[in-house]
Amino acid sequence: MSDTQSWEEKYRKCNEEYEKAVLYLKKAVMVQKQNFTGMVALLSDMLSMVNKELGSHVKSVAEYAKSLSFLLKLEKDQRELVYYASLLHDIGLLSAPKDVYAYNPLSDSPPPEGYLGHPGAGENLIKSIPTLARVAAVVRSHHEHWDGTGFPDKLEGGAIPLEARIIAVANTFDWLTRFGHMSPRESLAAIKEHSETMFDPVVAEAFYGLMDQRLKEQETGIKKVSVSELRVGYILNDDLLLSNGMLLFPSGTYLNHEAIERIKKFHDQLAVASHIRVHQ
Ligand SMILES: [Fe+2]
């Protein structure tokens, strides 16, 4: 009997030790993750402070790349890597002359000073922080081309990290539109045109679908607003259904005060979606 008790006691203690070890490991992982995201945030904020426009560029690229990561069904770890590498991808441009932004990466003219070296410069800066080693590797490859004509390593096809192939597409689109080289429609057409030469065709196709839809919505004045943002004069773009499937208002309904109050009432009862597509 006492042997049994002793065994049970040993088991209980062992279990306690195990639970403590798991807790310790979980805390260690959390601290490491906080260090990682803290470092990325610090570098990203620094980039925005030094160059506001470049800061806006990398944030836009990160948002496009995040949407692409979901569309391409990447795992959570990979999506995070894409996002954080996007935020830092052009950090190597901080030391380049300002005229670098006038360069069109689709043109045949030679790139300005500092342009060819910026992926490597970014990688060197980032990899000085050991927890960011994976981010540094992606940053190095964001100007590689699917056909092997990119830089700095002339990697080809699947040898280019997928995260970098995603950033390449998002980066080119935002660069062309933000720095005045092309309209959004022209930039999107350029992404399609350079699929299989500059860009991974699967990534380029996914981006085309994503942005084509967004641009159509912008071109037709359609926007997605929260219920609290509804204003008199908006017109419903789609049928507005209640959660039980019943039609509250058909598409094309002009929103007056009464209609908005009605939608708000159902929203308070969690009976309509929190965001609604409208146009004016
Ligand atoms: Fe770049």
Side-chain angles (χ1 to χ4, degrees), residues 90 118 142-143 171:
D90 271 346
H118 84 270
H142 78 275
H143 280 284
N171 171 47

Side-chain angles (χ1 to χ4, degrees), residues 76-220:
K76 185 169 181 279
D77 271 6
Q78 220 173 356
R79 291 200 309 266
E80 287 179 354
L81 180 56
V82 169
Y83 185 73
Y84 294 128
S86 300
L87 284 175
L88 301 181
H89 77 277
D90 271 346
I91 201 163
L93 278 178
L94 282 180
S95 56
K98 293 273 184 212
D99 64 359
V100 80
Y101 303 105
Y103 177 64
N104 181 339
L106 304 180
S107 74
D108 295 328
S109 54
E113 190 194 333
Y115 190 79
L116 287 179
H118 84 270
E123 180 206 17
N124 286 336
L125 179 72
I126 297 164
K127 79 177 180 191
S128 62
I129 303 164
T131 49
L132 300 187
R134 289 175 70 210
V135 174
V138 175
V139 166
R140 180 177 179 85
S141 298
H142 78 275
H143 280 284
E144 298 291 352
H145 293 175
W146 185 250
D147 63 3
T149 61
F151 61 94
D153 301 311
K154 296 195 181 303
L155 299 179
E156 194 175 340
I160 308 165
L162 174 59
E163 297 86 352
R165 283 179 261 150
I166 290 173
I167 295 172
V169 173
N171 171 47
T172 304
F173 177 82
D174 192 73
W175 183 283
L176 292 172
T177 50
R178 180 173 301 276
F179 299 121
H181 300 289
M182 289 180 183
S183 71
R185 266 288 161 208
E186 288 168 336
S187 304
L188 192 57
I191 297 291
K192 195 175 194 177
E193 190 185 326
H194 290 80
S195 171
E196 293 192 61
T197 49
M198 277 180 87
F199 307 119
D200 175 341
V202 174
V203 179
E205 190 183 348
F207 188 74
Y208 189 90
L210 173 78
M211 291 310 297
D212 183 50
Q213 177 65 25
R214 285 193 191 173
L215 292 177
K216 271 181 190 155
E217 289 183 0
Q218 280 175 18
E219 285 154 7
T220 51

Side-chain angles (χ1 to χ4, degrees), residues 16-32:
E16 272 178 17
E17 290 303 315
Y18 172 76
E19 281 175 6
K20 269 189 212 165
V22 169
L23 196 64
Y24 177 81
L25 273 175
K26 278 184 180 168
K27 276 185 184 164
V29 168
M30 206 189 313
V31 168
Q32 199 184 22

Side-chain angles (χ1 to χ4, degrees), residues 225-251:
V225 297
S226 66
V227 168
S228 63
E229 291 169 327
L230 288 175
R231 299 283 175 267
V232 170
Y234 284 167
I235 294 164
L236 286 181
N237 197 66
D238 314 292
D239 287 347
L240 185 58
L241 301 176
L242 296 176
S243 52
N244 62 8
M246 282 182 66
L247 180 68
L248 181 59
F249 291 116
S251 71

Side-chain angles (χ1 to χ4, degrees), residues 223 225 229-236 253-256 260 278-280:
K223 52 186 174 182
V225 297
E229 291 169 327
L230 288 175
R231 299 283 175 267
V232 170
Y234 284 167
I235 294 164
L236 286 181
T253 299
Y254 176 87
L255 295 183
N256 55 20
I260 292 173
V278 294
H279 57 272
Q280 281 181 303

